[in-house]
Amino acid sequence: SSFPEMDEMLEQTPKGVIEMLSIKGIGPKKVRTLWKELGIESTGELLYACNENRLVELKGFGEKTQAQIKHAIEYTEANQGKYLYAVIEPIATQIFQDLRNSGVLLECSFTGEFRRKLEIQEKIEMVVVPEELIELIDFLNSHPLIDKESLESENTTIRVTIAGKLPLILYTTKKEEFASLLFQTTGNEDHLRQLKDNYKLTFTEKATDETEIYARVQLPYFEPELREGRSEFNMIKNGKIHDLIIEKDLKGILHNHTTYSDGAHTLEEMATYCKELGFEYLGICDHSKSAFYANGLQPERILKQHQEIDTINAKI
């Protein structure tokens, strides 16, 4: 949202100053002081000023604040271009579904780190079999989430950027080579190296699916999440590997809020339902008194809740 007064203020404010507002540990007042009194107009200039020990001269700062700001900037720079899987998963899924429904592809699958579901991601990768390459490029250029100016096509690889930041890489191939390329681009280097060195697996032959590729060297199918080159090959017993953890493997649930603070259900309702689900334990983590906005518990209410927990435990 926007309004004229805000637009006018933004026009008068350097872009770098706005970016400084996202630095942990300094609010608008401190950013204004840095800008007006030291002439700092970007995070780069601010880091330089920290290294020169210039912030300690300002009222309201000091050595501790300067050190915190320096650490926050360095941490942000070190993590530039890295995203939590859970943050980019909805965007990736949306584009993937749109591609599948577009009619321009014969086959498509996520691959690489995204298919392995690593916690930290730097890019989204897909293996695709286009009906016609030009149709795929036209579709990408027309997609609202993709920056059109970012599209680069070289040999069999297409690179684009989502929202000016997140790279999306598409490896194009023929239908008969789809499984082989998906296999080669999913596992990390260590997983593929161990297959090549220890099991003498070659990746050049065509295959109908990845199970067939592993079977060539008498190995079971490895789920993408296991292809990290760590201990997955030691997990094999009787021709099988351990299954991934799924919901039915969970024994209990922690960090729950009840009606004592801002939860929607009572202690007994939650405990009874968890028992019905087959869980062995339920952990209660209602807000404390500092969270007054969420009906945080004062000491006497915590004691009351403990008493109710004892009663419910004895009952069920």
Side-chain angles (χ1 to χ4, degrees):
S1 62
S2 182
F3 50 91
E5 291 83 356
M6 179 178 174
D7 293 339
E8 186 180 343
M9 290 291 184
L10 287 172
E11 285 178 14
Q12 297 171 10
T13 309
K15 187 177 179 182
V17 172
I18 307 249
E19 290 174 354
M20 284 163 57
L21 290 168
S22 63
I23 298 172
K24 187 177 180 181
I26 54 173
K29 287 184 179 179
K30 280 188 166 62
V31 169
R32 186 182 190 283
T33 300
L34 291 166
W35 175 26
K36 296 298 183 181
E37 297 193 22
L38 290 185
I40 295 172
E41 296 187 354
S42 71
T43 53
E45 291 178 9
L46 179 55
L47 180 60
Y48 192 79
C50 289
N51 290 331
E52 287 193 328
N53 204 36
R54 290 167 56 204
L55 267 62
V56 295
E57 306 165 5
L58 295 174
K59 183 181 178 182
F61 282 79
E63 290 186 11
K64 186 177 179 181
T65 301
Q66 178 176 269
Q68 289 174 340
I69 293 171
K70 183 174 184 291
H71 175 75
I73 296 172
E74 290 173 341
Y75 178 82
T76 300
E77 288 183 349
N79 290 279
Q80 200 73 32
K82 296 180 180 179
Y83 306 90
L84 290 172
Y85 175 86
V87 171
I88 67 172
E89 191 267 342
I91 302 170
T93 301
Q94 181 64 59
I95 292 176
F96 182 77
Q97 290 174 344
D98 292 345
L99 277 166
R100 289 186 66 176
N101 297 332
S102 67
V104 302
L105 299 179
L106 299 174
E107 295 269 4
C108 63
S109 172
F110 286 119
T111 192
E113 293 179 355
F114 191 84
R115 190 179 180 216
R116 301 201 310 273
K117 295 183 172 67
L118 291 191
E119 297 92 331
I120 305 296
Q121 302 276 327
E122 295 184 42
K123 57 185 176 293
I124 300 169
E125 297 173 282
M126 298 181 193
V127 174
V128 299
V129 179
E131 188 93 55
E132 293 290 342
L133 184 60
I134 188 64
E135 291 180 358
L136 172 57
I137 290 175
D138 287 344
F139 173 81
L140 294 171
N141 274 324
S142 65
H143 198 283
L145 293 176
I146 292 173
D147 299 328
K148 301 169 186 60
E149 297 80 11
S150 68
L151 194 146
E152 297 177 6
S153 180
E154 183 178 354
N155 297 326
T156 58
T157 302
I158 299 173
R159 300 173 186 273
V160 293
T161 303
I162 302 169
K165 296 181 179 180
L166 181 63
L168 169 63
I169 304 173
L170 289 84
Y171 305 108
T172 65
T173 188
K174 299 175 182 177
K175 192 165 186 176
E176 61 270 20
E177 296 171 352
F178 178 79
S180 178
L181 183 58
L182 179 62
F183 181 85
Q184 293 177 64
T185 54
T186 294
N188 75 357
E189 289 183 10
D190 288 337
H191 182 81
L192 296 175
R193 179 182 51 76
Q194 290 183 53
L195 286 170
K196 182 179 178 181
D197 295 348
N198 301 338
Y199 295 91
K200 310 306 176 187
L201 179 64
T202 57
F203 310 127
T204 54
E205 300 174 53
K206 296 175 183 176
T208 55
D209 57 36
E210 294 177 300
T211 301
E212 179 187 315
I213 298 173
Y214 281 113
R216 288 174 185 162
V217 287
Q218 290 74 54
L219 285 173
Y221 174 78
F222 285 83
E223 293 288 350
E225 291 90 333
L226 295 175
R227 305 183 204 179
E228 295 292 343
R230 294 174 184 167
S231 59
E232 60 262 35
F233 296 105
N234 298 328
M235 294 167 60
I236 302 170
K237 291 183 179 179
N238 303 319
K240 296 182 179 180
I241 57 176
H242 298 308
D243 293 327
L244 296 177
I245 293 173
I246 58 176
E247 189 174 346
K248 70 179 181 63
D249 296 317
L250 299 179
K251 301 299 182 185
I253 181 168
L254 295 170
H255 198 115
N256 301 282
H257 293 191
T258 72
T259 49
Y260 269 89
S261 63
D262 60 348
H265 297 90
T266 66
L267 262 172
E268 187 163 3
E269 286 173 337
M270 294 179 72
T272 302
Y273 184 62
C274 283
K275 191 171 183 180
E276 290 173 3
L277 292 175
F279 289 156
E280 297 175 6
Y281 56 84
L282 166 69
I284 302 301
C285 298
D286 276 304
H287 285 288
S288 64
K289 64 181 181 180
S290 60
F292 59 90
Y293 54 86
N295 193 30
L297 278 68
Q298 294 291 333
E300 61 274 12
R301 294 184 63 229
I302 293 175
L303 292 173
K304 181 183 177 183
Q305 186 183 63
H306 284 191
Q307 290 169 357
E308 186 177 350
I309 289 172
D310 291 341
T311 301
I312 295 172
N313 278 334
K315 180 180 176 181
I316 66 172

